[in-house]
Amino acid sequence: QLQLVESGGGLVQPGGSLRLSCAASGFTSGYYYIGWFRQAPGKEREGLSCISYIGFTNYADSAKGRFTISRDHAKNTVYLEMNSLKPEDTAVYYCAALRGQQLGRCVLETEYDYWGQGTQVTVSS
C-alpha cells in the first residue's frame, strides 16, 4: 500500500520561501502522478501542481510563476518549492498520488487515490 508523508512546513514571513517534501513508500507496480494540494480554513481544497512519471508538470493559476514542482525518483520524493509567499498561501498542504501511464501527463482535476497527512504552512509577519 502506497504511503505518503509530507514535511517542510512551518512559519515563514511574507516574501519568503519554503520547500515542501513528499516522501513515498510502499510502491508496488505502475507509474504514479504526484500532486500538491492545499486547504485553507473555510475554503475548499485547491489543486496546485502535479508531476508525471517522466517529469511533465501542470500548475494551477494560483501556483504558476511562484511554485515549482520536481521529482527525485532515486529518493522517492517529490518537492514543492514555494517562493514569494503571501499570507493567503497559509493552509495545510497535502501531497497525493495517482497511478497513470509512463509517458502520460498528469491533471489536477481528477480524483487522487493516496494522500498524505498534510503539513501546515503559515505565512505571517
Side-chain angles (χ1 to χ4, degrees), residues 1-63:
Q1 187 173 3
L2 182 65
Q3 293 179 301
L4 304 172
V5 179
E6 302 95 335
S7 63
L11 177 64
V12 64
Q13 294 185 350
S17 299
L18 207 60
R19 188 178 74 164
L20 306 182
S21 298
C22 175
S25 62
F27 286 101
T28 54
S29 63
Y31 308 99
Y32 289 87
Y33 307 152
I34 305 294
W36 281 100
F37 302 79
R38 69 184 180 188
Q39 187 165 22
K43 296 184 178 180
E44 294 185 349
R45 189 171 62 203
E46 175 188 18
L48 298 171
S49 182
C50 63
I51 187 167
S52 74
Y53 181 78
I54 61 171
F56 289 119
T57 59
N58 279 322
Y59 293 91
D61 288 341
S62 60

Side-chain angles (χ1 to χ4, degrees), residues 92-122:
V92 177
Y93 284 69
Y94 301 88
C95 65
L98 175 69
R99 287 188 66 176
Q101 295 181 308
Q102 182 180 18
L103 304 180
R105 292 178 176 268
C106 68
V107 296
L108 289 167
E109 193 175 331
T110 189
E111 183 177 354
Y112 282 69
D113 294 322
Y114 305 96
W115 291 82
Q117 83 290 340
T119 185
Q120 176 71 46
V121 172
T122 302

